[in-house]
Protein backbone atom coordinates (compact mmCIF):
# COMPACT_ATOMS: atom_id res chain seq x y z
CA UNK A 1 0.00 0.00 0.00
CA UNK A 2 1.34 3.41 -0.95
CA UNK A 3 1.41 6.09 1.69
CA UNK A 4 0.26 9.64 1.13
CA UNK A 5 3.03 12.26 1.40
CA UNK A 6 1.54 13.40 4.75
CA UNK A 7 1.64 9.84 6.09
CA UNK A 8 5.20 9.49 4.84
CA UNK A 9 6.25 12.58 6.81
CA UNK A 10 4.48 11.22 9.90
CA UNK A 11 6.17 7.86 9.52
CA UNK A 12 9.56 9.51 9.10
CA UNK A 13 8.87 11.59 12.23
CA UNK A 14 7.99 8.41 14.16
CA UNK A 15 11.39 7.10 13.06
CA UNK A 16 12.97 10.27 14.51
CA UNK A 17 13.49 12.07 11.19
CA UNK A 18 11.90 15.51 11.17
CA UNK A 19 11.62 17.74 8.14
CA UNK A 20 12.65 21.36 8.77
CA UNK A 21 11.66 23.67 5.92
CA UNK A 22 14.20 26.47 5.76
CA UNK A 23 13.66 29.57 3.57
CA UNK A 24 15.99 30.40 0.67
CA UNK A 25 16.15 33.50 -1.54
CA UNK A 26 16.08 31.27 -4.63
CA UNK A 27 13.28 30.44 -7.06
CA UNK A 28 13.16 26.88 -5.73
CA UNK A 29 11.63 28.13 -2.46
CA UNK A 30 12.29 26.41 0.86
CA UNK A 31 14.89 23.72 1.28
CA UNK A 32 14.14 20.63 3.35
CA UNK A 33 16.67 19.90 6.07
CA UNK A 34 16.23 16.80 8.23
CA UNK A 35 16.76 16.57 11.95
CA UNK A 36 17.58 13.02 13.02
CA UNK A 37 16.84 12.58 16.72
CA UNK A 38 19.35 9.90 17.54
CA UNK A 39 22.87 9.69 18.82
CA UNK A 40 24.60 11.63 17.43
CA UNK A 41 21.91 14.33 17.11
CA UNK A 42 22.15 15.05 13.42
CA UNK A 43 21.10 17.66 10.90
CA UNK A 44 21.08 16.73 7.23
CA UNK A 45 21.73 20.00 5.33
CA UNK A 46 21.37 23.40 6.94
CA UNK A 47 19.84 25.84 4.49
CA UNK A 48 21.57 28.88 2.96
CA UNK A 49 23.77 31.39 4.75
CA UNK A 50 21.23 34.04 5.77
CA UNK A 51 19.92 35.51 9.00
CA UNK A 52 16.41 34.47 8.03
CA UNK A 53 17.44 30.86 7.45
CA UNK A 54 19.35 30.82 10.76
CA UNK A 55 16.33 32.23 12.66
CA UNK A 56 14.04 29.62 11.16
CA UNK A 57 16.49 26.82 11.81
CA UNK A 58 16.77 27.91 15.44
CA UNK A 59 13.01 28.19 15.94
CA UNK A 60 12.22 24.90 14.21
CA UNK A 61 14.87 23.12 16.30
CA UNK A 62 13.42 24.79 19.42
CA UNK A 63 9.96 23.42 18.57
CA UNK A 64 11.51 19.99 18.99
CA UNK A 65 13.31 20.96 22.18
CA UNK A 66 16.77 21.41 20.70
CA UNK A 67 19.13 24.28 19.99
CA UNK A 68 21.84 24.56 17.37
CA UNK A 69 24.41 24.04 20.15
CA UNK A 70 23.06 20.52 20.71
CA UNK A 71 23.83 19.31 17.20
CA UNK A 72 26.58 16.70 17.08
CA UNK A 73 26.73 15.87 13.39
CA UNK A 74 25.91 17.79 10.21
CA UNK A 75 25.58 15.78 7.01
CA UNK A 76 25.99 17.63 3.71
CA UNK A 77 24.13 16.03 0.79
CA UNK A 78 25.74 17.99 -2.05
CA UNK A 79 27.63 21.09 -3.07
CA UNK A 80 24.74 23.53 -3.68
CA UNK A 81 24.57 26.64 -1.51
CA UNK A 82 20.87 26.41 -0.64
CA UNK A 83 21.77 23.21 1.23
CA UNK A 84 25.06 24.05 2.91
CA UNK A 85 25.39 27.82 3.42
CA UNK A 86 24.83 27.67 7.18
CA UNK A 87 27.13 24.73 7.93
CA UNK A 88 30.06 26.79 9.24
CA UNK A 89 27.80 28.87 11.49
CA UNK A 90 26.16 25.73 12.86
CA UNK A 91 29.60 24.25 13.52
CA UNK A 92 30.79 27.44 15.26
CA UNK A 93 27.85 27.18 17.65
CA UNK A 94 27.82 23.44 18.19
CA UNK A 95 31.25 22.03 17.44
CA UNK A 96 29.43 19.38 15.39
CA UNK A 97 31.29 17.01 13.13
CA UNK A 98 30.66 17.51 9.41
CA UNK A 99 30.14 14.48 7.19
CA UNK A 100 30.10 14.64 3.40
CA UNK A 101 31.31 12.66 0.44
CA UNK A 102 35.09 12.57 0.81
CA UNK A 103 35.59 13.13 -2.91
CA UNK A 104 33.89 16.53 -2.53
CA UNK A 105 35.69 17.61 0.65
CA UNK A 106 38.42 19.62 -1.00
CA UNK A 107 35.97 21.57 -3.11
CA UNK A 108 33.73 22.26 -0.13
CA UNK A 109 36.73 23.52 1.85
CA UNK A 110 37.71 25.99 -0.88
CA UNK A 111 34.31 27.48 -1.54
CA UNK A 112 35.37 30.85 -3.02
CA UNK A 113 38.03 29.50 -5.35
CA UNK A 114 35.77 26.65 -6.30
CA UNK A 115 32.90 28.99 -7.13
CA UNK A 116 35.24 31.10 -9.30
CA UNK A 117 36.54 28.04 -11.09
CA UNK A 118 32.98 26.78 -11.58
CA UNK A 119 31.97 30.12 -13.11
CA UNK A 120 34.95 30.10 -15.49
CA UNK A 121 34.08 26.57 -16.52
CA UNK A 122 30.44 27.56 -17.13
CA UNK A 123 31.34 30.68 -19.13
CA UNK A 124 33.72 28.69 -21.30
CA UNK A 125 31.11 26.01 -21.86
CA UNK A 126 28.47 28.60 -22.76
CA UNK A 127 30.69 30.39 -25.26
CA UNK A 128 31.75 27.08 -26.86
CA UNK A 129 28.07 26.27 -27.27
CA UNK A 130 27.11 29.54 -28.92
CA UNK A 131 25.77 31.64 -26.05
CA UNK A 132 26.51 35.34 -26.65
CA UNK A 133 29.25 36.78 -24.48
CA UNK A 134 27.04 39.48 -22.95
CA UNK A 135 24.74 36.79 -21.55
CA UNK A 136 27.68 35.06 -19.88
CA UNK A 137 28.87 38.34 -18.34
CA UNK A 138 25.42 39.00 -16.89
CA UNK A 139 25.15 35.46 -15.60
CA UNK A 140 28.52 35.72 -13.93
CA UNK A 141 27.51 38.77 -11.96
CA UNK A 142 24.32 37.02 -10.86
CA UNK A 143 26.40 34.06 -9.73
CA UNK A 144 28.74 36.33 -7.76
CA UNK A 145 25.82 37.95 -5.99
CA UNK A 146 24.46 34.51 -5.02
CA UNK A 147 27.74 33.49 -3.44
CA UNK A 148 27.03 35.32 -0.19
CA UNK A 149 24.45 32.61 0.59
CA UNK A 150 27.13 29.96 0.44
CA UNK A 151 30.05 29.22 2.70
CA UNK A 152 33.08 27.08 2.90
CA UNK A 153 32.60 23.76 4.65
CA UNK A 154 35.29 21.88 6.54
CA UNK A 155 34.49 18.19 6.30
CA UNK A 156 35.68 16.34 9.41
CA UNK A 157 34.13 12.98 8.52
CA UNK A 158 34.81 12.27 4.85
CA UNK A 159 32.48 9.51 3.64
CA UNK A 160 33.24 6.86 1.07
CA UNK A 161 30.58 5.61 -1.33
CA UNK A 162 28.94 2.67 0.46
CA UNK A 163 30.15 3.67 3.92
CA UNK A 164 27.79 3.21 6.84
CA UNK A 165 27.08 5.93 9.37
CA UNK A 166 26.19 4.16 12.60
CA UNK A 167 23.85 5.84 15.05
CA UNK A 168 22.50 4.47 18.33
CA UNK A 169 19.17 3.46 16.75
CA UNK A 170 19.90 3.24 13.04
CA UNK A 171 22.44 2.84 10.31
CA UNK A 172 22.53 5.01 7.20
CA UNK A 173 24.39 3.87 4.14
CA UNK A 174 26.16 6.56 2.11
CA UNK A 175 25.44 6.21 -1.60
CA UNK A 176 26.93 8.46 -4.27
CA UNK A 177 24.26 9.31 -6.87
CA UNK A 178 25.80 12.02 -9.09
CA UNK A 179 23.90 13.80 -11.85
CA UNK A 180 22.04 16.79 -10.45
CA UNK A 181 25.47 17.75 -9.10
CA UNK A 182 28.71 15.73 -9.11
CA UNK A 183 28.61 15.36 -5.32
CA UNK A 184 24.97 14.23 -4.86
CA UNK A 185 24.90 11.77 -1.99
CA UNK A 186 21.86 9.91 -0.67
CA UNK A 187 21.51 8.17 2.69
CA UNK A 188 19.73 4.84 2.96
CA UNK A 189 18.05 3.39 6.01
CA UNK A 190 17.59 -0.15 4.78
CA UNK A 191 15.78 -1.32 7.89
CA UNK A 192 13.07 1.36 7.65
CA UNK A 193 13.20 1.62 3.85
CA UNK A 194 13.67 5.36 4.07
CA UNK A 195 15.95 7.13 1.60
CA UNK A 196 17.15 10.65 2.35
CA UNK A 197 17.70 11.77 -1.23
CA UNK A 198 18.06 15.57 -1.21
CA UNK A 199 17.97 16.90 -4.79
CA UNK A 200 18.60 13.54 -6.44
CA UNK A 201 14.80 13.19 -6.67
CA UNK A 202 12.22 15.94 -6.22
CA UNK A 203 8.50 15.22 -6.55
CA UNK A 204 7.23 18.44 -8.11
CA UNK A 205 10.17 19.43 -10.31
CA UNK A 206 12.64 17.57 -12.46
CA UNK A 207 16.10 17.89 -10.87
CA UNK A 208 18.29 19.78 -13.32
CA UNK A 209 21.35 17.80 -14.40
CA UNK A 210 23.59 20.87 -14.24
CA UNK A 211 26.91 20.50 -16.00
CA UNK A 212 29.56 21.02 -13.38
CA UNK A 213 33.30 20.39 -13.07
CA UNK A 214 34.14 16.77 -12.28
CA UNK A 215 35.12 16.07 -8.66
CA UNK A 216 38.32 14.29 -9.71
CA UNK A 217 39.76 17.52 -11.09
CA UNK A 218 39.73 16.36 -14.71
CA UNK A 219 38.90 19.07 -17.23
CA UNK A 220 36.76 16.88 -19.49
CA UNK A 221 33.21 18.09 -19.80
CA UNK A 222 31.05 15.57 -17.92
CA UNK A 223 27.86 14.12 -19.39
CA UNK A 224 25.67 15.21 -16.50
CA UNK A 225 22.34 13.92 -17.84
CA UNK A 226 23.82 10.57 -18.86
CA UNK A 227 25.23 10.24 -15.33
CA UNK A 228 21.95 11.35 -13.79
CA UNK A 229 19.93 8.79 -15.74
CA UNK A 230 22.33 6.03 -14.61
CA UNK A 231 21.90 7.21 -11.03
CA UNK A 232 18.10 7.26 -11.30
CA UNK A 233 18.08 3.72 -12.71
CA UNK A 234 20.07 2.52 -9.69
CA UNK A 235 17.73 4.28 -7.26
CA UNK A 236 14.74 2.79 -9.10
CA UNK A 237 15.91 -0.68 -8.03
CA UNK A 238 15.93 0.22 -4.33
CA UNK A 239 13.03 -1.05 -2.20
CA UNK A 240 12.41 2.41 -0.73
CA UNK A 241 9.01 3.18 0.75
CA UNK A 242 9.70 6.80 1.60
CA UNK A 243 12.06 9.10 -0.26
CA UNK A 244 12.74 12.32 1.63
CA UNK A 245 13.54 15.07 -0.81
CA UNK A 246 15.55 18.29 -0.64
CA UNK A 247 12.56 20.36 -1.75
CA UNK A 248 8.80 19.83 -1.59
CA UNK A 249 6.93 16.76 -0.42
CA UNK A 250 8.24 13.25 0.24
CA UNK A 251 8.10 10.79 -2.65
CA UNK A 252 6.01 7.72 -1.92
CA UNK A 253 6.31 5.94 -5.27
CA UNK A 254 9.83 6.56 -6.51
CA UNK A 255 9.56 3.90 -9.24
CA UNK A 256 6.60 5.67 -10.87
CA UNK A 257 8.32 9.04 -10.51
CA UNK A 258 11.57 7.78 -12.04
CA UNK A 259 9.71 6.04 -14.89
CA UNK A 260 7.91 9.29 -15.58
CA UNK A 261 11.18 11.26 -15.60
CA UNK A 262 12.89 8.71 -17.86
CA UNK A 263 9.99 8.87 -20.32
CA UNK A 264 10.15 12.65 -20.29
CA UNK A 265 13.85 12.63 -21.07
CA UNK A 266 13.21 10.14 -23.88
CA UNK A 267 10.62 12.48 -25.44
CA UNK A 268 12.85 15.49 -25.09
CA UNK A 269 15.74 13.60 -26.64
CA UNK A 270 13.63 12.84 -29.72
CA UNK A 271 12.51 16.45 -29.93
CA UNK A 272 16.13 17.57 -29.87
CA UNK A 273 17.03 14.96 -32.45
CA UNK A 274 14.32 16.44 -34.68
CA UNK A 275 15.91 19.89 -34.36
CA UNK A 276 19.37 18.57 -35.16
CA UNK A 277 18.08 16.50 -38.09
CA UNK A 278 16.60 19.68 -39.63
CA UNK A 279 20.00 21.35 -39.66
CA UNK A 280 23.16 21.43 -37.52
CA UNK A 281 22.66 23.59 -34.44
CA UNK A 282 24.60 24.85 -31.44
CA UNK A 283 23.37 24.14 -27.93
CA UNK A 284 22.23 27.76 -27.71
CA UNK A 285 20.22 27.48 -30.93
CA UNK A 286 18.54 24.33 -29.67
CA UNK A 287 17.67 25.97 -26.35
CA UNK A 288 16.23 28.96 -28.19
CA UNK A 289 14.20 26.73 -30.50
CA UNK A 290 12.63 25.06 -27.47
CA UNK A 291 12.26 27.85 -24.94
CA UNK A 292 12.75 31.06 -26.92
CA UNK A 293 14.74 33.84 -25.31
CA UNK A 294 14.99 32.80 -21.68
CA UNK A 295 16.01 34.94 -18.71
CA UNK A 296 19.76 35.25 -18.23
CA UNK A 297 19.57 33.19 -15.04
CA UNK A 298 18.02 30.34 -17.02
CA UNK A 299 20.61 30.34 -19.79
CA UNK A 300 23.02 27.87 -18.22
CA UNK A 301 20.23 25.64 -16.99
CA UNK A 302 18.60 25.33 -20.41
CA UNK A 303 22.00 24.81 -22.04
CA UNK A 304 22.77 21.98 -19.57
CA UNK A 305 19.43 20.46 -20.49
CA UNK A 306 19.93 20.46 -24.28
CA UNK A 307 23.57 19.36 -24.11
CA UNK A 308 22.52 16.54 -21.79
CA UNK A 309 20.06 15.23 -24.37
CA UNK A 310 22.53 15.76 -27.21
CA UNK A 311 24.97 13.60 -25.18
CA UNK A 312 22.42 10.78 -25.14
CA UNK A 313 22.14 11.03 -28.95
CA UNK A 314 25.92 11.26 -29.26
CA UNK A 315 26.35 8.05 -27.25
CA UNK A 316 23.75 6.35 -29.47
CA UNK A 317 25.75 7.40 -32.52
CA UNK A 318 22.85 9.41 -33.94
CA UNK A 319 24.53 12.82 -33.79
CA UNK A 320 28.09 14.11 -33.79
CA UNK A 321 29.77 17.27 -32.57
CA UNK A 322 31.34 19.48 -35.22
CA UNK A 323 33.70 22.11 -33.89
CA UNK A 324 34.47 24.89 -36.36
CA UNK A 325 36.83 26.54 -33.88
CA UNK A 326 34.22 29.11 -32.91
CA UNK A 327 31.40 26.97 -31.60
CA UNK A 328 30.30 23.36 -31.33
CA UNK A 329 27.40 22.33 -33.56
CA UNK A 330 25.52 19.07 -33.40
CA UNK A 331 24.66 17.36 -36.66
CA UNK A 332 22.84 14.14 -37.48
CA UNK A 333 24.99 11.22 -38.59
CA UNK A 334 22.35 9.62 -40.80
ZN1 LIG B 1 20.92 21.06 -5.55
Amino acid sequence: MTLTPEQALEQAALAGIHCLRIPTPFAVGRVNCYLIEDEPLTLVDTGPNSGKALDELQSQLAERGHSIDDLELVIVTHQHIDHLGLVEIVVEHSGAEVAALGAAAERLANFDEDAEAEDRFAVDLMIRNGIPEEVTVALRSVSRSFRAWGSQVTVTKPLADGEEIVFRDRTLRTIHRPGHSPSDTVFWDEQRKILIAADHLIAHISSNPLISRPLDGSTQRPQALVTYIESMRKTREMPAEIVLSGHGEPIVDHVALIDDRLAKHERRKEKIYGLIAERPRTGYEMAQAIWGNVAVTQAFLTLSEVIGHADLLLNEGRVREVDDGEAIRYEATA
Side-chain angles (χ1 to χ4, degrees), residues 123-144:
V123 166
D124 185 53
L125 188 74
M126 288 189 283
I127 287 174
R128 301 284 297 126
N129 285 280
I131 292 189
E133 195 160 345
E134 62 269 22
V135 174
T136 70
V137 170
L139 195 61
R140 212 163 164 167
S141 70
V142 171
S143 166
R144 287 222 176 89

Side-chain angles (χ1 to χ4, degrees), residues 7 20 29 48 120 175 189 201 249 312:
Q7 287 168 332
L20 312 182
R120 281 196 301 272
I175 304 173
D189 184 335
L201 283 180
E249 296 305 315
L312 295 170

Side-chain angles (χ1 to χ4, degrees), residues 77-83 180-181 184 198-200 202 208 210 247:
T77 61
H78 68 298
Q79 66 205 68
H80 289 158
I81 56 178
D82 50 336
H83 293 258
H180 162 69
S181 87
D184 288 352
D199 291 2
H200 171 55
I202 301 173
N208 304 301
L210 290 168
H247 301 276

Side-chain angles (χ1 to χ4, degrees), residues 232-273:
M232 276 199 287
R233 288 192 197 282
K234 288 181 191 161
T235 300
R236 189 187 182 283
E237 299 313 309
M238 295 175 79
E241 281 171 6
I242 298 171
V243 176
L244 298 172
S245 194
H247 301 276
E249 296 305 315
I251 295 155
V252 289
D253 189 347
H254 69 294
V255 172
L257 181 77
I258 290 171
D259 284 347
D260 186 67
R261 295 283 151 80
L262 293 175
K264 196 201 97 190
H265 286 305
E266 194 60 30
R267 287 194 299 274
R268 181 152 286 167
K269 181 185 77 183
E270 292 309 325
K271 183 170 182 177
I272 284 173
Y273 181 74

Side-chain angles (χ1 to χ4, degrees), residues 76 78-81 84 100-119 121-122 151-155 176 181-184 210-218 220 222:
V76 177
H78 68 298
Q79 66 205 68
H80 289 158
I81 56 178
L84 58 69
L101 190 72
E106 206 183 306
R107 295 187 57 168
L108 297 176
N110 298 297
F111 172 73
D112 283 318
E113 292 151 47
D114 188 66
E116 270 300 314
E118 196 68 29
D119 280 1
F121 171 86
S151 154
Q152 62 151 73
V153 172
T154 306
V155 177
H176 188 201
S181 87
S183 56
D184 288 352
L210 290 168
I211 299 175
S212 182
R213 285 148 56 244
L215 292 179
D216 66 8
S218 85
Q220 275 246 311

Side-chain angles (χ1 to χ4, degrees), residues 35 51 53-54 56 61 79 97 105 159 177 194 219 226 231 235 248 268 272 282 291 304 314 328:
L35 173 71
L54 183 60
E56 287 253 5
L61 285 171
Q79 66 205 68
E97 297 267 9
L159 302 169
R177 284 280 192 265
I194 297 176
T219 50
V226 172
S231 287
T235 300
R268 181 152 286 167
I272 284 173
T282 63
W291 294 286
S304 284
L314 201 70
I328 295 164

